[in-house]
């Protein structure tokens, strides 16, 4: 099967951004690469059916988010840790707030991490997140609330120069 040159251009242009999105969503580069690969395979199969190329990135990101949530539905009891026990050498990890925040984000349950990433990294509304993940708007709001509570308790606001609350793009306090 021959590949459409527009599909190849899309992958070349947006591949790195999709990997970054996958990394933030999944929490590690290996799962991110798997998410991107699976999503691009599905995009390739649907490429001719897409109405416009502008929809391609939204389609891929939706596939990635749904694939990610399907994985946590299957492995709800899996315990994710930052340190790998078999590894004798760890790469340099950024220090300070970024490291603390990354560890706190990685410590969230997969569903909570997904809604936080979609809201604050992708800047999606509750309705868009609910549609992407196939959950209700109320579930989105409760998962974000729980995730932010966990992040606030894991990352002390004092001494880091950050405020203790997060405001949504609509201006309401969370």
């Amino acid at each position: 099967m021959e590949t459409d040159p527009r599909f190849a251009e899309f992958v070349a242009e947006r591949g790195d951004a999709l990997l970054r999105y996958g990394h933030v969503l999944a929490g590690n580069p290996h799962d991110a690469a798997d998410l991107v690969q699976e999503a691009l395979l599905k995009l390739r199969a649907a490429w001719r059916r897409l109405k416009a190329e502008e929809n391609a990135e939204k389609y891929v990101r939706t596939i990635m988010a749904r694939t990610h949530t399907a994985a946590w539905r299957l492995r709800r009891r899996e315990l994710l840790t930052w340190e790998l026990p078999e590894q004798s050498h760890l790469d340099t990890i950024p220090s300070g707030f970024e490291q603390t925040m990354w560890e706190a984000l990685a410590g969230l349950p997969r569903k909570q991490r997904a809604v936080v990433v979609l809201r604050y990294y992708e800047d999606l509304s509750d309705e868009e997140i609910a549609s992407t993940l196939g959950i209700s708007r109320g579930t989105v709001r409760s998962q974000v609330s729980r995730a932010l509570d966990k992040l606030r308790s894991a990352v002390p606001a004092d001494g880091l120069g950050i405020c203790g609350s997060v405001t949504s793009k609509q201006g309401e306090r969370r």
Side-chain angles (χ1 to χ4, degrees), residues 81-110:
T81 62
W82 181 256
E83 298 81 23
L84 298 174
E86 308 86 35
Q87 195 172 15
S88 62
H89 171 73
L90 293 176
D91 291 335
T92 304
I93 299 170
S95 62
F97 175 73
E98 293 176 61
Q99 176 185 354
T100 305
M101 184 54 88
W102 175 251
E103 290 171 356
L105 185 62
L108 290 176
R110 295 172 72 91

Side-chain angles (χ1 to χ4, degrees), residues 60-99:
V60 171
R61 288 175 184 257
T62 299
I63 291 171
M64 289 172 67
R66 288 184 178 169
T67 302
H68 174 69
T69 57
W72 57 253
R73 284 183 181 137
L74 293 174
R75 297 180 282 174
R76 287 182 186 195
R77 298 180 192 267
E78 181 181 357
L79 177 63
L80 299 176
T81 62
W82 181 256
E83 298 81 23
L84 298 174
E86 308 86 35
Q87 195 172 15
S88 62
H89 171 73
L90 293 176
D91 291 335
T92 304
I93 299 170
S95 62
F97 175 73
E98 293 176 61
Q99 176 185 354

Side-chain angles (χ1 to χ4, degrees), residues 115-124 126 129 140 144 174:
V115 295
V116 167
V117 167
L118 291 173
R119 171 165 291 153
Y120 297 106
Y121 184 77
E122 286 297 310
D123 201 27
L124 297 182
D126 290 346
I129 296 169
V140 170
V144 167
R174 298 188 193 257

Side-chain angles (χ1 to χ4, degrees), residues 37-55:
Q37 183 177 13
E38 189 166 337
L40 288 176
L41 285 172
K42 290 179 181 180
L43 173 65
R44 184 171 184 244
W47 185 255
R48 294 176 194 253
R49 292 185 312 226
L50 289 176
K51 299 283 186 221
E53 288 183 46
E54 301 88 50
N55 295 335

